[in-house]
Amino acid sequence: MKRPAPLVVVGDSLLDQDVSGRAERLAPDAPVPVVGGIEHRTRPGGAALAARLAAADGREITFVTALGDDEASQAVRDLLADRVHLVELPLDGPLSRKTRLMADGRPLLRLDEGDGRATGPATGAEKALADAGAVLVADYGRGTADVLREALTARAARVPVVWDPHPAGGPPVPGTRLATPAAAEARHFAGKPAPAAPARPEDHRDVLRQATADARVLLDQWGIASVAVTLGEHGALLSRGGPPLLVPAPWRASGDCCGAGDSFAVAVAGRLADGDLVELAVREAVEAAARFVAAGGAHAVLREAGPADAADTSGDARAIVRRVRERGGTVVAAGGCFDLLHAGHVELLQAARRAGDCLVVCVNSDASVRRRKGGGRPVVPAEDRARVLEALDCVDAVLVFDEDTPERLLDELRPDIWAKGGDYALTDLPETALVESWGGQVVLLPYLDGRSSTRLVERAAGRPGAPTRR
């Protein structure tokens, strides 16, 4: 697998802290909830979160930010240690620290402290930018982008620059490849007042109309190539001057959305660094943000991320399995090559999903398929096979394995049910003993007779195969 291209992240670091617990009663002396069972969590925030997420994707990350001698600055250094190459600017004042008081997963109150701002000199940072192949600017309005504005302008003329703006910061530099404001930020920069709280939920059509109008204003006002307005559960709207491209979210993810905008910006910047077109980069970034929220947000993602491994995409599956288990549900897994998806596959997967509360599909890698099927297979590469499977409503997650059998993945996931098609009725499955070792069960499900990827390949190649029975 090709290693992801390096990326330089520029922006203002924050320290984010969550104080979380349960709220089961009101205080006797005031009508406020009493939060008990307290748990303290600390994570990098602002541009530091973006840099950490980018590093978790297996990229080589250079992070240019302002840090000082205060406790919060040192905490950010510790959280980023051995994950990014840190290039520091001087910080005038203490680093900004944001503390959320959470009850039952919902924020009750946020405390902001620290007003430090970046200052010069910026020699090391300018050198890092001069060598950058792509740049993500996560501007949180605390001076880092301002100090480096001239160097960023020069680099934007040569390499992709993605700018994630903030109302407290300035506009993107001319030549920026893509700006990624949220809808409220786009409205702010377009010079329009924030709307009053609506009496009813905003109509989706109103959201799109407003985002389209704001993006057009920003393209003219900023003099940049494109604007992607992020719309939360509605996805993102990409504008390049003509009719906008709407990229809907693949599903409606529920959970803590704190950091979802950083996740989007990191994904789109990474794709542009790898040489993708803006349209494809935005599509991938919308899916990445949805997965980020569904997996539990910044804390869950960072907690599960070990040393960066570009080939490890199993975090979503682990999170789904964990949530299903926590509520006492049944985990189902199924596996196969799924080279050319056909009606037999779909019927099997639909039946497997009905057998439990989530379905994880284990898919043979390209090398694994070649060992099983021969040099002409697979017809469809693993990345595309996984994407097609993920598009099915009955599939909750897809994992790709490189071994001849999925036993390693099964031992990791420990599903309650391992589902196979009825065409395996007279076959001794090597996974049976393993699944039964933790109390799981192997089941056979109805399979449409006569459907086969091999037969489809033969027919497409003009070789007569056995006719499909109906």
Side-chain angles (χ1 to χ4, degrees):
M1 179 178 292
K2 183 180 178 182
R3 185 173 178 80
L7 181 67
V8 174
V9 178
V10 175
D12 307 297
S13 291
L14 312 174
L15 182 65
D16 287 349
Q17 298 175 307
D18 285 351
V19 181
S20 305
R22 299 182 305 276
E24 298 173 343
R25 62 189 178 91
L26 294 178
D29 55 341
V32 295
V34 176
V35 181
I38 295 297
E39 180 180 1
H40 294 263
R41 296 176 177 175
T42 301
R43 66 174 182 272
L49 173 60
R52 176 74 182 273
L53 292 175
D57 283 343
R59 293 186 185 277
E60 179 185 333
I61 300 299
T62 298
F63 180 37
V64 179
T65 192
L67 295 172
D69 298 328
D70 56 289
E71 180 184 346
S73 292
Q74 188 55 49
V76 169
R77 290 189 187 93
D78 294 341
L79 289 165
L80 297 177
D82 301 323
R83 297 180 182 274
V84 304
H85 173 56
L86 194 58
V87 177
E88 295 187 23
L89 295 173
L91 182 70
D92 182 16
L95 190 75
S96 296
R97 182 197 307 246
K98 299 182 180 296
T99 303
R100 294 192 304 171
L101 178 60
M102 309 280 289
D104 303 312
R106 297 180 179 276
L108 296 179
L109 181 70
R110 196 180 91 179
L111 303 175
D112 289 3
E113 52 187 326
D115 55 1
R117 290 189 62 83
T119 62
T123 305
E126 290 172 349
K127 172 67 167 60
L129 284 172
D131 296 336
V135 180
L136 167 61
V137 180
D139 183 11
Y140 279 77
R142 288 165 174 81
T144 301
D146 297 335
V147 170
L148 295 171
R149 195 163 190 85
E150 184 176 340
L152 288 167
T153 301
R155 206 62 191 142
R158 296 179 176 274
V159 301
V161 171
V162 174
W163 198 288
D164 192 18
H166 188 281
V173 298
T176 293
R177 181 76 58 87
L178 177 68
T180 62
E185 293 165 344
R187 191 168 298 177
H188 165 83
F189 282 112
K192 298 174 182 176
R200 58 178 177 81
E202 280 192 284
D203 187 280
H204 184 32
R205 293 166 297 182
D206 295 337
V207 172
L208 293 181
R209 278 194 291 267
Q210 186 66 64
T212 300
D214 292 342
R216 287 174 179 162
V217 170
L218 296 182
L219 283 173
D220 293 338
Q221 182 175 301
W222 286 343
I224 63 177
S226 51
V227 173
V229 181
T230 57
L231 305 173
E233 64 184 21
H234 298 305
L237 188 85
L238 173 63
S239 179
R240 308 186 73 179
L245 173 68
L246 175 64
V247 183
W251 62 84
R252 181 167 294 185
S254 60
D256 187 358
C257 62
C258 181
D262 296 291
S263 173
F264 178 91
V266 164
V268 80
R271 285 290 182 168
L272 292 180
D274 292 339
D276 285 348
L277 298 174
V278 171
E279 291 83 357
L280 178 59
V282 170
R283 285 170 53 192
E284 295 292 339
V286 167
E287 292 193 12
R291 289 195 300 269
F292 177 87
V293 175
H299 261 307
V301 171
L302 295 181
R303 187 169 58 246
E304 290 174 359
D309 182 357
D312 183 8
T313 58
S314 60
D316 300 336
R318 292 193 192 100
I320 289 169
V321 168
R322 184 178 64 250
R323 289 197 298 272
V324 169
R325 287 235 164 84
E326 286 174 351
R327 61 175 185 261
T330 298
V331 176
V332 183
C337 300
F338 301 100
D339 193 4
L340 295 176
L341 195 68
H342 53 70
H345 291 141
V346 174
E347 179 157 305
L348 168 67
L349 296 173
Q350 288 174 333
R353 182 61 177 81
R354 290 193 294 269
D357 299 290
C358 74
L359 172 61
V360 179
V361 181
C362 304
V363 177
N364 295 75
S365 71
D366 294 345
S368 178
V369 174
R370 280 193 292 272
R371 290 195 297 270
R372 293 186 57 183
K373 305 285 187 178
R377 302 284 294 276
V379 176
V380 180
E383 183 178 358
D384 289 354
R385 286 183 279 135
R387 185 164 186 171
V388 170
L389 289 167
E390 287 172 342
L392 299 177
D393 288 341
C394 57
V395 175
D396 295 281
V398 177
L399 296 175
V400 177
F401 63 93
D402 198 44
E403 300 83 4
D404 292 334
T405 66
E407 290 175 276
R408 176 185 59 83
L409 280 184
L410 291 176
D411 191 41
E412 178 184 348
L413 298 174
R414 303 206 162 202
D416 303 294
I417 295 175
W418 173 239
K420 298 294 288 185
D423 52 336
Y424 283 88
L426 301 179
T427 304
D428 290 329
L429 297 174
E431 311 94 89
T432 300
L434 177 66
V435 173
E436 291 178 349
S437 70
W438 58 74
Q441 184 177 0
V442 177
V443 301
L444 300 179
L445 297 172
Y447 190 85
L448 286 177
D449 192 20
R451 274 66 172 185
S452 162
S453 293
T454 300
R455 285 177 176 163
L456 288 174
V457 171
E458 290 174 347
R459 290 177 64 189
R463 295 194 298 269
T468 300
R469 292 195 292 265
R470 296 188 182 277

